[in-house]
Amino acid sequence: PLAPGSTTYSLSDVTVLVPARRVRVVGVQLLALRSNHFKRFAIEAVSLQAIRAEMPTSDDTWTVEAVVQYRTYYRQERWLVKWVGYGEDRNTWEPIENLTAEWVQGEAERVKKDFLAEKAAKECAAARGGPRRAAAQ
């Protein structure tokens, strides 16, 4: 079983799937621990420090590199944000309240406008019978 926040794990038949963008673990060293009935492992201190160094904290401030995409999720608007110094796998969906810089809000509105225009064009093409029919006319 995996205890929340624990650095000790037990081997079992349970498989835990974690989205890759949530965890980045590379080169973890495990220490075998003695136990009565099953094998237990603990993450070595050096590996644990490397993992914690990768994880963001509430004190971190990130700089927006670009606003990539727009969507609505459960009737709430979200923008996909690319952060300076982080790869594409670290992009996050953010509400407009989290995008505080004026230029970022302008970029978010431009991305939204482009998305809505593209969506309207697709709906219009579908109402006319799709792109194949329009091309044949």
Side-chain angles (χ1 to χ4, degrees):
L2 302 176
S6 173
T7 59
T8 303
Y9 303 93
S10 301
L11 293 181
S12 69
D13 295 336
V14 177
T15 301
V16 179
L17 300 176
V18 179
R21 69 174 186 250
R22 301 225 186 274
V23 179
R24 181 182 292 189
V25 179
V26 179
V28 173
Q29 300 295 318
L30 298 175
L31 297 172
L33 303 176
R34 294 182 182 197
S35 183
N36 295 340
H37 302 291
F38 50 88
K39 291 183 179 179
R40 291 173 49 128
F41 295 88
I43 300 174
E44 281 188 359
V46 174
S47 295
L48 189 58
Q49 288 172 353
I51 292 168
R52 287 188 176 143
E54 277 278 331
M55 298 179 81
T57 67
S58 60
D59 297 333
D60 290 347
T61 57
W62 298 299
T63 305
V64 173
E65 183 175 317
V67 179
V68 180
Q69 197 175 345
Y70 167 82
R71 75 173 182 189
T72 55
Y73 186 71
Y74 291 104
R75 298 184 182 182
Q76 294 183 3
E77 295 182 318
R78 298 277 191 251
W79 285 264
L80 186 62
V81 175
K82 167 79 172 82
W83 303 102
V84 171
Y86 292 91
E88 298 287 328
D89 62 325
R90 296 300 179 116
N91 292 358
T92 58
W93 289 99
E94 300 292 335
I96 196 71
E97 304 87 55
N98 292 356
L99 309 177
T100 56
E102 197 171 307
W103 76 268
V104 175
Q105 288 184 352
E107 183 71 10
E109 289 304 317
R110 185 196 61 76
V111 168
K112 177 183 176 180
K113 182 181 172 185
D114 292 348
F115 171 82
L116 295 176
E118 185 178 319
K119 182 178 177 182
K122 285 180 182 178
E123 289 172 355
C124 186
R128 286 188 307 223
R132 284 182 268 148
R133 188 172 182 192
Q137 293 175 348

